[in-house]
Structures are given as structure tokens and as C-alpha cells.
Amino acid sequence: MKQGMVEISAMTLNALKQLLFSEDGVDLTGIVNDLAAGGKNEDLSAINVGLTFKGIKPEMDMSPRWGNFNEYWRQYFAYTPVGYSLILDRVTFKKCEISRDKEKDEWTSGKVYEESMPMADWLNLTTEKTEVDAFVAKMLEKYPIVKEQSLDEE
């Protein structure tokens, strides 16, 4: 399944909205207006509320993701999805900082936090473990660990 953002015409968006609300007879206008913040993305908000109301939720790739690779701090973050909101267009996840000790070749995991981010940002994070492996290899090459020689070795 292809993920990301697509553009559709306002007429198509409005037609989808009409399709979702044509049978139920339930007025969700107050909820839609509240979520649309005064008309901004009102049709999209209406569609998301209608889909949620009908119990229709698109499948989401629940694979772990990685991002925010930082060479200077020798760190990156691991993201484990917890859930997502179609209406709010946000993903909730557990986030863990993984960093390398400057003195030894040791990667440690930090405290785990639960946060959320917009779906578009979530989709920009990598699901490829090979990118993490490449970052770790680059850190080992760029910042090699120099072992001190003991007096016995001389």
C-alpha cells in the first residue's frame, strides 16, 4: 500500500463527504466545525469524522521507525507506534533515544517517552533498519575508539 499525501479536487472531497453523511441522519456538524477550526480543511475533517463514525479506519503500517540521526551527538531515535487518529491526523508512539558513548563502542538506550506527531512527519521516518546500520557504521568510521595501551604492552 502506498502511503503519503495526495491531492484531490474540492469537488471530489465534497462528493465523498456527501456520500458519508447521506444515510445516517446524525448531525455531526458541531464536531466537524470544531475540528476544522473555522472552515480550514472542513471537507477533509468531515470525511475523517464520517469515516470514524462509521467505524472505517484505514490500515496503517505499524512497523518501527527510526529518525533524527545526529552525527555530532552520535545519536538517533527509535519510534514504536502505539496507535493513530484519523480525525486528528496524528500518530502516537513510544520514542527512545539511542546514543553511543564517546569513550567506548557502546550504544545505550535512553528513557522511553510517549509522544505524537502529524501523520505526514511519521511517514517521513525510515522503516529501513539498514539506514540505522549505515549510521552506526559511519559513526564507527568517523569517531573510532582509540584504545589506550597499557604499560605491559609496550
Side-chain angles (χ1 to χ4, degrees), residues 8 16-17 26 50 83 98 113:
I8 61 173
L16 287 169
K17 183 174 82 171
V26 176
I98 300 171
Y113 298 93

Side-chain angles (χ1 to χ4, degrees), residues 15 25 32 37-38 43 50 54 63 67-68 77 80 82 89 91 102-103 112 115 136 145 147 149-151:
V32 170
D43 287 334
K54 290 187 178 247
S63 302
N68 294 323
F77 288 88
T80 305
V82 174
D89 194 34
V91 176
K102 290 182 182 183
E103 306 301 321
V112 176
E115 295 182 15
V136 169
I145 301 300
K147 295 184 180 183
Q149 286 185 336
S150 67
L151 294 175

Side-chain angles (χ1 to χ4, degrees), residues 40-54:
K40 184 179 179 191
N41 296 322
E42 186 176 329
D43 287 334
L44 183 58
S45 294
I47 288 171
N48 288 340
V49 167
L51 288 169
T52 303
F53 181 73
K54 290 187 178 247

Side-chain angles (χ1 to χ4, degrees), residues 2 25 46 64 66 77 80 97 133 142 153-154:
K2 198 173 187 181
W66 297 274
F77 288 88
T80 305
E97 175 187 319
D133 296 339
K142 189 170 183 174
E153 293 177 28
E154 292 179 10

